[in-house]
Amino acid sequence: ICSLLNHIVFSMAAYLRSHKKEPFMLISVLNSLCTFSLSLLLVPYYNYMGAVLSYLAGNFFFGFLGGGLIFLKDQKK
């Protein structure tokens, strides 16, 4: 699931970069902060599954949903 979400987000980013735009910088930073924060909370209790869940949550909420909103907004311009 994470790989599929990453593929979609990377495709949207590549499309927008081909138009000389880089609107995904904030999304990348927020995704990293979310993944890091959640891993600090979840890994001590759920071991490797906590790491997987934190990575999935960051990719879904910031990468896929946030990136999708930015992609739709910038594509209309």
Side-chain angles (χ1 to χ4, degrees):
I1 294 171
C2 289
S3 295
L4 178 63
L5 291 175
N6 274 336
H7 178 72
I8 294 169
V9 171
F10 293 159
S11 298
M12 290 187 292
Y15 175 80
L16 292 177
R17 285 183 188 126
S18 69
H19 297 294
K20 307 268 190 222
K21 296 179 183 178
E22 184 50 63
F24 276 66
M25 178 60 81
L26 180 62
I27 292 296
S28 297
V29 171
L30 292 175
N31 186 359
S32 300
L33 289 173
C34 176
T35 302
F36 177 71
S37 301
L38 283 176
S39 67
L40 289 177
L41 294 172
L42 296 177
V43 169
Y45 299 106
Y46 300 107
N47 296 324
Y48 70 90
M49 194 51 116
V52 171
L53 290 175
S54 63
Y55 186 61
L56 178 63
N59 278 339
F60 180 73
F61 290 112
F62 289 102
F64 185 69
L65 294 180
L69 291 174
I70 288 175
F71 179 77
L72 291 174
K73 184 186 80 169
D74 281 355
Q75 189 181 20
K76 289 180 182 179
K77 288 182 183 179

